[in-house]
Structure formats: C-alpha cells, structure tokens
C-alpha cells in the first residue's frame, strides 16, 4: 500500500521523477561499466578452481624488467624435486606464421608442457585440451588447441573447426579443442592464438638455440594447505644448484656466463601468487585504472548529494502537504516510510536502467583499451572476458543500494521531522536550508576535485601531442616483416631487404626508403651497457644506451639531422682495427664525451673496444613520447641477418596512400611472408599515448557530468530560495531597494557553501596531484594553472547555474507578489 501511494505521488510529477531516473541511470551505468573493467584488470581472479593455489615464478628485482623466463633445467628440477606443488607446468611463447587458413599472418603460439591444462582444471569449450599423451605422440600432425578469440575470428565461431588442419610455419597441426572465452592461462588479459604440445618446438622454433636451451615461463599449483612462504623456501633450495648447473654448462661461452650466474644467485627467485594472473594492463596502467575507478565512485557520491539536494528541496516545497498528513493523524514513521518508498522506487528504476546501460558501455571501453605489445614489440591479443556474466549486475546493484542510502535516507529523515506548526505556515515562512547548503558544499568540492584531476590529465595529453619526437612522423609509413619465421637464411633475408628497398624506392610518391632492426614508438627496444675504451664499468651498472641497427639513408629518410661527421656508407669497408662504425645522438655525447670531440672516439660493451664514432645526429624519441631523450647508438645493418626488418618509407604526399602499393611489392616478392604493423608513424605516435588519451577522455567525461550535477544542484536550490523569498524580495522593492540588490539577498545563502566547497576541493586536488604524478608528463602537479583551472571551472558553473534564478528574482513584481501573499 505504501509503495502504491509513493508511486502515485511520483506520477503526479513525471518530469521530476523522469529527471531523477535519468540522472541515476547515467551515473550508475557509467560507474558500473568502468568499475567492472577496473575489477577485471586489477582485482578479478583467474577463472579456474581454487585460483588462490596458483603461483608463478619471477625475479622481481631484475633489470630492466622483471625476469619471468627461466632455463628448462630449472623447470625439470622443480617438477621432479618439489614436494610443495601438486603440478608444475611451463609455456614457451613463439611467433610463427599462420598460412592456413588464409590469409597468412604472424601469430603467437604457446608451446605447453604436459601438465599445463590439468594444472588449471578448466575444460575445453569444444573438443578437448592437450593431454600428457600428446607429448609422447609422434604423429606428423601434432594437436592444437585454439583460443576463443582466434576461433571466433578465423573460424567464425564454427564448432566444425574441430578436426581441421592449420599450418604453422609450414607444418600441419590438427585442431582438437577450443578453450572457453574466460580462459587466458597464466595471463589475466592476453592470450596466444594457439597452444600446442611442447614437443612441437623443433617445428616452430625461430632460433635453433631455443631447441637446446629454451627459457620457459613457469607456473605451478600449491598443494592444499601449503603456505606461500614454505614454497618460497623450498623453491630457492632447488633454484641454487639448478641455476649453477645451467651456467656451468654455458661457461665455455665466455665470462658473461659467470656474471649471469652471480646475478642469478644474488637475485634468487620469487614464488608469486598468480591468483589474479600476470597482467600487462595492470602492471603498466594499474594506477590510472584505479584512479578512474575512484573517479567513478566519487561521481556516484556526487550524484547522491545532488539527488539528496533535489529531494530536500522538493520536500521543503511540499512541507505543507507533509504537515497536513501529520495533522490528520499520520505518524512520523508513516511519513518516513512514504518518503523512503519514493526514493526506493526511483533507485530501483534508475538502477535497473543503469545496469542495462553499463552492459552496453562495456564493449566501448574494451575497444578503447591501449594496445599491448610484448618485449619484441609484437602485438598481443587482449582477451578480457568482461560483461558476459553477473559481475556488472552485482556492481550495479551495490551502487544502486549505496545510492538509495545516500540520496534517500537523509532527506526522508530530515523531512519527516518537520515541525507541524512550521509546516502548516510554510507558505509564509521560508525553511531553514542548512542541510541543503552542506550538500551543496559537498557537490562543489567533488566537482572541483574532478575538474582539477581531469585538467592535469588533459594537459598531459596535450603536452605529449605537441611534443617534437625528433623525426618527421607526418611523412613516414612503416612495415614490419620477419623473414626468419618462414625459413629465410641470413643471406636470403639480406637479399630480400635489398630487393624491397630497391622496388619500393621506384614507386610513385616515394621520397626515400630505409630499414632498421628496432621499430620506433612501440614501447620496447634493445639496451646495452657501454663506456669509452679503458673505462672501468661497475658490475651492477644499469643498461645505459639504446641500440639500433639502421641502413645508410635511415637518418635522411626519418628526418633526423646529421650534426657532424658522416652516416654509414652504402658499401661498408672492412676496417683494419676490426671495430664497427657507430653513429650516436647528442645525448650519447653529453653522457660519455661531454668535453671532447666525439668523432673517432672508441667505446664498447663495458669499456671494451668495439665501436668507433663516425657521426653525431640530433636527439629523437625512441620507445615512446614519455621516454626522456636518452643516449642512442646506431650500428650498420648491412650485415646478413634473418630476424625482424622494419621498412620505413618517406612519402612525398600522403603516407597512408603508400600502404597498399608497398604491400603489393611484399606480396610480389613472397606472398607467404606476412607483413605486420603497416602504419604511418603518426598512427604509431597516436597509439603510444592511447592510455593517456583514455584517461583524459574518461576523466573529462566525469568532470563534465560532475559540473552538470553541481550546476543543477545549485540551480535547484537558488530557484527554491527565490520562490521562498518572493515575499521578502517584494518588500525590498516596495520600500525602494534597487533591483540589482536582490541578487545579493539570494546569493548570500550560498556564497559561503560555494567558497567552502571550492576550498576543500582545491586542497583535495593538491593532495591527489602528488599521488598521480606517475600519470603526468610535462605538467607540474602543483602550480598556479593546477589551482586556477578547477577554480575557474567552478566559478563558471556557479555563474551559469545562478543566472536563471537571479533573473527570476530581478523580475519579481512587488504588487503581484504581495497580493498573492
């Protein structure tokens, strides 16, 4: 009965009810979608039985990144000797060429040991997983298990893919299973396209050395009741003799084996919980995602404060009706239940609409995720299974319940305690608005925080976009191939590179063509430790120089200026001293030869002789726009090699117009050779700031919504004050007060609340700015602009929100107002 009465009251004000439901749906929907994604990236456990028992192995303190791959010898020792794990498994990531089904493409394949799938205990969606017997089967067509995204894209999600043959590096594999969409293995957010038995390594290895000494990513499942600390101690006891035996076997290769052994014994090995899976998104962008999640929660709090303000204003306007109910015998508990029923009805409808909106928004957020690349800069498939289960519904229900308590309880309690006499006289007596002013101050504070933080993120993105990378990105398009994956020898690959550059250079619209081994702006690259000849280098000296091998005309094609000396010769000449020519950038000179002429200076790995400087070029960005200008050395890439080749084509017109003509040249030379990353350098630059762009856009959307909510709250309260003070305003006009003075009568109700909220918000911005320093670039977290931006934003919101009520107050007709009273 009480809900029917509450619904009738809401239906008598359809605009009021519809507006509140729309605000609830928008706020809860956007927060639900974002919090679902934050949960999936940062907090969700792997979809496997007892994920708390899953662990992996790493050297977390190693440089330049945590080491997660270890010799096969250690895996064998751990599998055979450990008593703390119920199963130990490993995987090896290989890039291979998929030629069947067409078209040809470069994909990731994981070679897994026999216990891999049994360790996770996740059944296949179709068919079966790999079994221990598959490792010993000597059939010419090994079995293969497909990931769900690959099966969906290459086989159109057809269950008849089972039994079909795929071709990897020219070798046939039989599809025996398809994994569920939520299964990603050791990782939480990436997955290989295909998994095959480890015995297929000789068929797929791109480097023959991997067959003899493969380095594996190792995972295990703890036995029930075994604590992580005990597993850590026993693993370390197995690690020391195993790694010593491995490096002793490599000792004949040189002193570097002794150094690696010392480093491994010093660093040890850590057993890390893998309940949430290894995550590149979490490791690289976790701080930003958690910040956006906090923004979403703050937005819900702001929404609650706004709705509470609106409901307080409505209840104040209906004070007479509430007082009449009390006068006719209704209890205050009845009035409280009535008002709570109204809030519950609004929350239920708005929350349900918000949950539906959240499900609809999740795919757009997934599409906006920054691209991921591995250590070799190859693209990785993001495999986040989000929005296909009950998690968004649960998050939406929790947000709805919180919103109901936030905007429904306090206004209902406040209005149900209305003094009867004041309520019956409410037509003539203005209500005290202390609660409304406090809520308004909270809204202004939250709005200030979101405006301030979003301003920092937007300025960071703008700073990165206007940054000069040091090369002419606007006119260059790049292509990446790896001839070694399709069986090219070094000499064959070298001839292919020469044929490519010759034919592409003859295409209309091509200014110049160059090659390199390491692609720019893809977040990774080679580093080494070098020093001038004769310089003593500490054993723990960090990797101090980026390294690339480039063709003779690389600098001309890229728009990198030569400052002194020369670049590489088109036909390299043998040197009597057996050192190699090197071109270095200005940062290299500042680091190693700051006070001398760098030309003809010798340097090499850890102070040995190996390179001589023949030229100096201008500084340019290497891995990303965020990376500072670090020392870079360039070597000549004319020597034969069958690994990756990056082709850079400088266009005289639009570089994107050259993509298809160059692809045809590749196809004409070898149709089986897959071309990846055919993109303009402008696109590469844009992709390198994808995370910053996503952060700035989402934060700006939240800040805009917060500004709208704060403006609506201020507008509603000022309109209510103007209505309540209509008689007072009329009296002021009747006794001769100028109309301009009426604005002061209205504004003085809110100036203190606005100022207090803005001050509290600015203090919060200063506090948060330091905690998000890692997300900023070229923007001081604390400074005049950081303070003035949110302050001016709040001032603009207050100005726009107050214009309507102030104009209404200025147009009050004293005769009509006093006559009505």
């Amino acid at each position: 009965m009480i809900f029917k009465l509450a619904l009738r009251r809401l239906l008598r004000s359809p605009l009021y009810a519809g507006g509140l439901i729309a605000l609830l749906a928008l706020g809860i929907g956007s927060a639900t979608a974002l919090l679902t994604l934050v949960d999936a990236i940062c907090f969700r456990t792997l979809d496997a039985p007892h994920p708390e028992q899953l662990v992996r192995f790493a050297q977390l303190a190693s440089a330049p990144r945590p080491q997660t791959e270890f010799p096969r010898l250690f895996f064998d020792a751990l599998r055979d000797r450990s008593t703390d794990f119920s199963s130990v498994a490993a995987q090896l990531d290989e890039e291979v060429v998929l030629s069947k089904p067409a078209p040809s493409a470069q994909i990731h394949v994981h070679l897994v040991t026999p216990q891999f799938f049994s360790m996770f205990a996740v059944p296949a969606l179709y068919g079966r997983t790999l079994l221990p017997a598959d490792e010993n089967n000597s059939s010419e067509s090994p079995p293969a298990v497909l990931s769900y995204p690959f099966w969906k894209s290459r086989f159109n999600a057809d269950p008849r893919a089972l039994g079909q043959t795929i071709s990897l590096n020219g070798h046939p594999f039989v599809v025996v299973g398809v994994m569920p969409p939520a299964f990603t293995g050791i990782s939480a957010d990436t997955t290989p396209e295909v998994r095959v038995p480890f015995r297929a390594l000789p068929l797929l290895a791109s480097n023959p050395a991997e067959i003899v000494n493969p380095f594996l990513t190792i995972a295990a499942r703890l036995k029930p009741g075994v604590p992580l600390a005990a597993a850590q101690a026993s693993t370390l006891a197995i690690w020391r003799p195993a790694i010593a035996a491995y490096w002793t076997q490599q000792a004949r290769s040189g002193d570097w084996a002794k150094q690696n052994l010392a480093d491994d014994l010093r660093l040890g090995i850590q057993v890390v919980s893998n309940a949430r899976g290894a995550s590149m998104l979490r490791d690289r962008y976790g701080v930003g995602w958690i910040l956006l999640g906090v923004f979403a929660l703050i937005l819900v709090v702001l929404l609650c404060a706004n709705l509470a303000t609106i409901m307080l204003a409505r209840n104040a306007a209906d004070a007479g009706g509430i007082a009449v109910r009390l006068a006719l015998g209704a209890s205050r508990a009845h009035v409280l239940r009535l008002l709570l029923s109204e809030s519950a009805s609004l929350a239920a409808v708005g929350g349900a609409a918000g949950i539906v909106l959240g499900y609809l928004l999740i795919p757009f957020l997934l599409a906006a995720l920054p691209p991921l690349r591995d250590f070799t800069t190859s693209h990785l498939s993001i495999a986040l299974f989000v929005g296909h289960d009950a998690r968004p519904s649960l998050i939406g229900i929790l947000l709805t319940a919180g919103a109901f308590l936030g905007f429904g309880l306090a206004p209902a309690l406040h209005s149900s305690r209305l003094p009867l006499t004041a309520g019956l006289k409410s037509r003539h007596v203005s209500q005290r608005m202390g609660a409304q002013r406090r809520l308004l101050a909270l809204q202004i504070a939250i709005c200030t925080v979101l405006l301030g933080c979003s301003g920092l993120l937007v300025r960071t993105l703008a700073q990165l976009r206007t940054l000069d990378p040091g090369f002419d990105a606007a006119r260059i398009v790049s292509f990446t191939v790896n001839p070694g994956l399709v069986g090219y020898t070094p000499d064959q690959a070298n001839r292919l590179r020469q044929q490519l550059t010759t034919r592409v250079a003859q295409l209309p619209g091509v200014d110049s063509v160059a090659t390199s081994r390491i692609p720019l702006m893809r977040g990774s690259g080679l580093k080494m430790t070098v020093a001038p000849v004769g310089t003593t280098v500490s054993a723990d000296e960090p990797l101090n120089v980026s390294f690339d091998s480039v063709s003779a005309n690389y600098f001309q094609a890229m728009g990198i200026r030569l400052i002194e000396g020369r670049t590489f010769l088109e036909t390299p000449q043998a040197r009597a001293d057996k050192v190699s020519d090197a071109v270095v950038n200005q940062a290299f000179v500042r680091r190693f030869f700051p006070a001398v002429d760098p030309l003809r200076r010798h340097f090499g790995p850890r102070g040995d002789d190996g390179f001589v400087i023949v030229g100096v070029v201008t500084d340019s960005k290497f891995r990303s726009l965020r990376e500072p200008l670090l020392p870079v050395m360039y070597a000549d890439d004319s020597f034969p090699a069958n690994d990756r080749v990056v082709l850079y084509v400088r266009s005289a017109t639009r570089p994107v117009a050259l993509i298809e003509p160059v692809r045809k040249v590749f196809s004409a030379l070898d149709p089986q050779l897959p071309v990846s990353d055919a993109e303009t350098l402008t696109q590469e630059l844009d992709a390198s700031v994808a995370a910053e762009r996503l952060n700035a856009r989402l934060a700006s959307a939240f800040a805009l919504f917060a500004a709208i909510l704060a403006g609506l709250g201020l507008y509603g309260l000022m309109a209510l004050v103007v209505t309540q003070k209509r008689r007072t305003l009329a009296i002021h006009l009747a006794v001769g007060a100028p109309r301009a003075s009426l604005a002061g009568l209205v504004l003085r109700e809110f100036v203190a609340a606005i100022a207090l909220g803005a001050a509290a918000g600015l203090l919060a911005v200063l506090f948060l700015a330091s905690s998000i320093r890692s997300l900023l670039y070229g923007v001081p977290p604390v400074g005049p602009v950081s303070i003035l931006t949110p302050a001016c934003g709040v001032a603009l919101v207050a100005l726009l929100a107050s214009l309507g009520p102030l104009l209404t107050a200025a147009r009050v007709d004293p005769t009509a107002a006093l006559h009505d009273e």
Side-chain angles (χ1 to χ4, degrees):
M1 180 62 72
I2 197 73
F3 274 99
K4 290 183 179 180
L5 183 58
L7 288 174
R8 283 202 297 268
R9 279 170 51 86
L10 290 175
L11 291 175
R12 285 200 296 267
S13 305
L15 291 179
Y16 163 80
L20 264 62
I21 288 173
L23 288 176
L24 272 170
L26 185 58
I28 291 177
S30 57
T32 295
L34 187 57
L35 289 176
T36 300
L37 201 56
V38 171
D39 169 65
I41 293 172
C42 299
F43 304 108
R44 190 174 66 184
T45 59
L46 293 177
D47 188 19
H50 299 289
E52 72 281 355
Q53 296 176 352
L54 297 174
V55 297
R56 55 190 168 90
F57 303 86
Q59 282 182 342
L60 301 179
S62 59
R65 61 189 179 99
Q67 176 67 23
T68 59
E69 297 176 342
F70 303 99
R72 174 72 182 266
L73 187 64
F74 168 62
F75 166 73
D76 292 338
L78 189 68
R79 180 197 57 198
D80 298 337
R81 294 176 50 194
S82 176
T83 59
D84 293 326
F85 306 110
S86 59
S87 58
V88 180
Q91 66 184 30
L92 176 64
D93 185 8
E94 283 288 340
E95 289 184 70
V96 305
V97 174
L98 172 80
S99 54
K100 179 185 177 182
S104 181
Q106 187 172 311
I107 66 171
H108 283 268
V109 170
H110 280 183
L111 298 102
V112 299
T113 57
Q115 287 191 310
F116 181 85
F117 284 102
S118 61
M119 178 182 67
F120 289 101
V122 176
L125 179 66
Y126 294 102
R128 65 172 177 87
T129 61
L130 297 178
L131 305 174
D134 293 323
E135 188 66 26
N136 301 319
N137 190 336
S138 59
S139 64
E140 294 183 359
S141 299
V145 174
L146 310 182
S147 68
Y148 184 88
F150 180 75
W151 171 66
K152 188 176 180 180
S153 62
R154 280 298 180 125
F155 292 92
N156 298 316
D158 188 351
R160 291 175 296 181
L162 297 180
Q164 295 190 31
T165 300
I166 62 174
S167 180
L168 305 176
N169 280 7
H171 301 285
F173 288 76
V174 178
V175 177
V176 298
V178 177
M179 294 307 294
F183 180 79
T184 51
I186 297 174
S187 171
D189 46 35
T190 61
T191 184
E193 284 78 3
V194 181
R195 292 181 175 90
V196 299
F198 199 84
R199 71 175 177 89
L201 179 59
L203 304 178
L204 303 181
S206 56
N207 183 356
E210 284 185 320
I211 302 175
V212 180
N213 291 313
F215 269 59
L216 311 176
T217 301
I218 307 173
R221 181 179 285 275
L222 290 169
K223 290 181 178 178
V226 175
L228 197 62
Q232 171 68 43
S234 65
T235 299
L236 196 58
I238 297 172
W239 161 260
R240 292 192 181 102
I243 201 65
Y246 172 78
W247 287 117
T248 300
Q249 293 175 4
Q250 314 304 316
R252 62 180 179 274
S253 300
D255 292 338
W256 63 271
K258 297 179 181 179
Q259 182 60 52
N260 286 340
L261 173 59
D263 291 341
D264 279 338
L265 292 176
R266 174 176 54 86
L267 294 171
I269 194 168
Q270 290 81 43
V271 183
V272 182
S273 172
N274 202 46
R276 294 184 295 150
S279 170
M280 296 181 69
L281 283 173
R282 183 169 64 238
D283 293 343
R284 295 182 182 181
Y285 312 116
V287 174
W289 283 110
I290 291 176
L291 176 68
L292 291 174
V294 171
F295 278 7
L297 292 175
I298 290 175
L299 189 66
V300 173
V301 173
L302 175 59
L303 178 64
C304 293
N306 183 271
L307 296 182
T309 302
I310 294 174
M311 299 196 76
L312 281 171
R314 179 175 184 265
N315 293 341
D318 193 33
I322 295 175
V324 168
R325 287 181 179 275
L326 294 172
L328 292 177
S331 66
R332 294 189 182 275
H334 172 83
V335 173
L336 177 61
R337 288 197 301 272
L338 175 63
L339 297 177
L340 287 177
S341 297
E342 286 188 6
S343 300
S345 300
L346 291 170
V349 178
I355 291 172
V356 173
L357 179 61
Y359 275 100
L360 296 176
L361 289 176
I362 286 173
F364 293 97
L365 288 178
L366 289 173
L369 287 174
L372 292 180
R373 294 178 181 271
D374 62 14
F375 189 63
T376 65
T377 75
S378 297
H379 271 294
L380 294 172
S381 299
I382 296 180
L384 279 175
F385 188 64
V386 182
H388 300 276
D389 53 17
R391 284 178 179 268
S393 297
L394 179 60
I395 292 174
I397 290 171
L398 292 175
L399 290 175
T400 301
F404 164 67
L405 295 175
F407 77 83
L409 187 59
L413 288 171
H414 181 272
S415 300
S416 66
R417 295 170 182 169
L418 174 73
L420 184 60
T421 304
L424 293 173
K425 294 181 179 180
S426 63
R427 185 180 178 189
H428 304 287
V429 181
S430 296
Q431 300 296 310
R432 297 174 63 87
M433 302 186 67
Q436 290 93 325
R437 283 195 290 269
R438 287 192 291 272
L439 286 172
L440 177 62
L442 176 62
Q443 293 180 63
I444 294 296
I446 293 175
C447 178
T448 306
V449 170
L450 292 178
L451 286 173
C453 291
S454 66
L456 291 172
L457 296 176
V458 169
R459 289 169 58 204
T460 291
L461 179 61
Q463 185 78 8
L464 288 170
R465 280 180 164 171
T466 57
L467 199 64
D468 180 11
F471 49 82
D472 190 6
R475 297 179 56 190
I476 299 170
V477 62
S478 68
F479 305 82
T480 304
V481 294
N482 193 335
L485 295 181
V486 290
Y488 278 63
T489 65
D491 288 331
Q492 289 172 334
N494 207 43
R495 286 194 296 272
L496 173 69
R497 181 175 59 85
Q498 293 171 356
Q499 291 173 337
L500 277 173
T501 54
T502 301
R503 293 195 185 187
V504 171
Q506 296 171 353
L507 292 175
V510 172
D511 266 357
S512 57
V513 183
T515 60
S516 74
R517 304 291 181 182
I518 308 298
L520 294 176
M521 296 292 108
R522 296 185 190 171
S524 186
L526 291 179
K527 298 195 77 172
M528 58 191 302
T529 301
V530 303
V533 170
T535 302
T536 301
V537 181
S538 172
D540 59 353
E541 175 79 17
L543 302 173
N544 55 18
V545 170
S546 296
F547 173 82
D548 197 2
S549 297
V550 301
S551 61
N553 59 339
Y554 174 83
F555 305 103
Q556 176 189 355
M558 301 298 290
I560 299 175
R561 291 188 298 106
L562 178 67
I563 296 177
E564 56 180 322
R566 63 170 175 83
T567 60
F568 300 114
L569 302 175
E570 290 289 347
T571 303
Q573 300 176 355
R575 298 178 60 97
D577 51 9
K578 296 183 179 180
V579 298
S580 302
D581 290 350
V583 175
V584 300
N585 68 345
Q586 293 169 293
F588 188 100
V589 174
R590 291 192 297 270
R591 170 70 172 81
F592 296 105
F593 303 102
V596 297
D597 182 4
L599 294 182
R600 294 172 296 282
R601 297 285 177 175
H602 288 239
F603 68 94
R606 297 193 174 275
D608 297 331
D609 198 0
F611 296 94
V612 59
I613 299 175
V614 298
V616 178
V617 295
T618 53
D619 290 332
S620 59
K621 297 290 184 176
F622 196 74
R623 290 169 180 79
S624 70
L625 288 174
R626 273 185 171 272
E627 184 184 44
L629 293 171
L630 299 176
V632 181
M633 61 164 290
Y634 302 92
D636 189 352
D637 80 339
S638 60
F639 59 88
N642 64 343
D643 56 355
R644 176 181 50 202
V645 175
V646 185
L647 185 75
Y648 289 107
V649 183
R650 184 181 182 89
S651 170
T653 54
R654 293 188 312 117
V656 70
L658 290 174
I659 292 179
E660 281 307 312
V662 175
R663 277 188 177 276
K664 291 179 180 178
V665 173
F666 277 99
S667 180
L669 289 173
D670 187 348
Q672 300 300 316
L673 185 64
V675 180
S676 60
D677 297 302
E679 296 177 331
T680 66
L681 271 189
T682 301
Q683 291 173 316
E684 298 274 13
L685 289 176
D686 193 52
S688 72
V689 296
E692 287 82 1
R693 182 171 58 252
L694 180 62
N695 290 342
R697 287 179 176 177
L698 290 178
S700 299
F702 286 157
L704 178 61
F705 191 30
I708 293 173
L709 288 177
L712 288 175
L714 179 57
Y715 173 85
L717 284 182
M718 293 188 72
L720 176 63
V721 167
V722 169
T723 301
Q724 290 185 343
K725 288 182 172 292
R726 190 163 178 260
R727 181 171 179 268
T728 303
L729 297 174
I731 292 174
H732 274 72
L733 290 175
V735 297
R739 289 186 177 272
S741 66
L742 301 184
L745 291 175
V746 177
L747 285 176
R748 70 184 182 186
E749 297 277 346
F750 305 101
V751 169
I754 294 173
L756 179 63
L762 289 175
L763 288 176
V765 169
L766 295 179
F767 173 77
L768 286 174
S770 299
S771 63
I772 64 172
R773 187 186 298 268
S774 62
L775 301 178
L776 307 180
Y777 180 88
V779 176
V782 178
V785 178
S786 303
I787 300 298
L788 291 175
T789 299
C792 292
V794 168
L796 180 61
V797 169
L799 175 63
L800 295 176
S802 62
L803 283 178
L806 292 180
L807 290 175
T808 302
R811 289 197 296 264
V812 168
D813 183 353
T815 304
L818 294 174
H819 179 269
D820 291 341
E821 290 293 328

